[in-house]
Short mmCIF file of all heavy atoms in Angstrom, two decimals:
data_model
loop_
_atom_site.label_atom_id
_atom_site.label_comp_id
_atom_site.label_asym_id
_atom_site.label_seq_id
_atom_site.Cartn_x
_atom_site.Cartn_y
_atom_site.Cartn_z
N ALA A 25 -16.69 187.19 25.22
CA ALA A 25 -16.31 188.47 24.62
C ALA A 25 -17.49 189.31 24.17
O ALA A 25 -17.43 190.55 24.23
CB ALA A 25 -15.36 188.24 23.45
N LEU A 28 -18.43 191.85 26.67
CA LEU A 28 -17.41 192.83 27.08
C LEU A 28 -17.41 194.01 26.12
O LEU A 28 -17.64 193.86 24.92
CB LEU A 28 -16.02 192.19 27.07
CG LEU A 28 -15.77 191.00 27.98
CD1 LEU A 28 -14.36 190.46 27.76
CD2 LEU A 28 -15.97 191.38 29.44
N SER A 29 -17.11 195.18 26.65
CA SER A 29 -16.95 196.35 25.79
C SER A 29 -15.68 196.15 24.95
O SER A 29 -14.78 195.41 25.34
CB SER A 29 -16.81 197.62 26.63
OG SER A 29 -15.56 197.63 27.30
N PRO A 30 -15.61 196.80 23.79
CA PRO A 30 -14.41 196.67 22.96
C PRO A 30 -13.14 197.07 23.72
O PRO A 30 -12.10 196.44 23.56
CB PRO A 30 -14.67 197.62 21.79
CG PRO A 30 -16.16 197.70 21.70
CD PRO A 30 -16.65 197.60 23.12
N LYS A 31 -13.25 198.09 24.56
CA LYS A 31 -12.08 198.54 25.32
C LYS A 31 -11.64 197.46 26.30
O LYS A 31 -10.44 197.16 26.40
CB LYS A 31 -12.40 199.84 26.06
CG LYS A 31 -11.22 200.44 26.76
CD LYS A 31 -11.57 201.79 27.36
CE LYS A 31 -10.35 202.42 27.99
NZ LYS A 31 -10.65 203.75 28.52
N LEU A 32 -12.57 196.86 27.01
CA LEU A 32 -12.23 195.82 27.97
C LEU A 32 -11.70 194.57 27.26
O LEU A 32 -10.75 193.93 27.72
CB LEU A 32 -13.45 195.48 28.83
CG LEU A 32 -13.21 194.60 30.04
CD1 LEU A 32 -12.13 195.19 30.95
CD2 LEU A 32 -14.51 194.42 30.83
N ARG A 33 -12.30 194.24 26.13
CA ARG A 33 -11.82 193.10 25.34
C ARG A 33 -10.39 193.33 24.87
O ARG A 33 -9.53 192.44 24.97
CB ARG A 33 -12.75 192.90 24.13
CG ARG A 33 -12.75 191.52 23.60
CD ARG A 33 -13.84 191.31 22.56
NE ARG A 33 -14.83 192.37 22.58
CZ ARG A 33 -15.52 192.79 21.54
NH1 ARG A 33 -15.36 192.22 20.38
NH2 ARG A 33 -16.40 193.75 21.63
N THR A 34 -10.13 194.54 24.37
CA THR A 34 -8.77 194.87 23.92
C THR A 34 -7.79 194.80 25.07
O THR A 34 -6.69 194.25 24.94
CB THR A 34 -8.75 196.29 23.29
OG1 THR A 34 -9.70 196.33 22.23
CG2 THR A 34 -7.38 196.64 22.75
N ARG A 35 -8.17 195.34 26.21
CA ARG A 35 -7.29 195.32 27.39
C ARG A 35 -7.01 193.87 27.82
O ARG A 35 -5.87 193.54 28.16
CB ARG A 35 -7.91 196.11 28.53
CG ARG A 35 -6.99 196.21 29.74
CD ARG A 35 -7.56 197.11 30.81
NE ARG A 35 -7.64 198.48 30.41
CZ ARG A 35 -6.63 199.35 30.46
NH1 ARG A 35 -5.46 198.95 30.87
NH2 ARG A 35 -6.80 200.60 30.09
N ALA A 36 -8.03 193.02 27.80
CA ALA A 36 -7.85 191.62 28.19
C ALA A 36 -6.87 190.92 27.24
O ALA A 36 -5.98 190.17 27.67
CB ALA A 36 -9.19 190.90 28.22
N LEU A 63 -8.42 195.21 16.80
CA LEU A 63 -9.63 195.58 17.52
C LEU A 63 -9.61 197.05 17.93
O LEU A 63 -10.60 197.77 17.74
CB LEU A 63 -9.81 194.68 18.75
CG LEU A 63 -11.06 194.90 19.58
CD1 LEU A 63 -12.33 194.73 18.76
CD2 LEU A 63 -11.07 193.94 20.77
N ALA A 64 -8.48 197.50 18.44
CA ALA A 64 -8.37 198.90 18.87
C ALA A 64 -8.54 199.85 17.69
O ALA A 64 -9.22 200.88 17.80
CB ALA A 64 -7.02 199.14 19.56
N GLU A 67 -12.19 199.98 16.54
CA GLU A 67 -13.06 200.69 17.49
C GLU A 67 -12.58 202.11 17.76
O GLU A 67 -13.13 202.79 18.61
CB GLU A 67 -13.14 199.90 18.80
CG GLU A 67 -13.78 198.54 18.67
CD GLU A 67 -15.26 198.61 18.30
OE1 GLU A 67 -15.93 199.60 18.68
OE2 GLU A 67 -15.74 197.67 17.63
N LEU A 69 -9.90 203.16 19.26
CA LEU A 69 -9.36 203.27 20.62
C LEU A 69 -7.87 203.57 20.47
O LEU A 69 -7.02 202.67 20.55
CB LEU A 69 -9.59 201.97 21.39
CG LEU A 69 -11.04 201.53 21.58
CD1 LEU A 69 -11.11 200.11 22.11
CD2 LEU A 69 -11.74 202.50 22.53
N MET A 72 -5.30 202.56 23.19
CA MET A 72 -5.16 201.11 23.21
C MET A 72 -4.37 200.61 21.99
O MET A 72 -3.60 199.66 22.10
CB MET A 72 -6.54 200.44 23.26
CG MET A 72 -7.38 200.78 24.47
SD MET A 72 -6.65 200.26 26.03
CE MET A 72 -6.94 198.52 25.96
#
Side-chain angles (χ1 to χ4, degrees):
L28 300 176
S29 71
K31 186 175 183 177
L32 191 55
R33 204 171 345 150
T34 304
R35 184 174 294 277
L63 182 58
E67 296 293 330
L69 300 169
M72 299 297 286

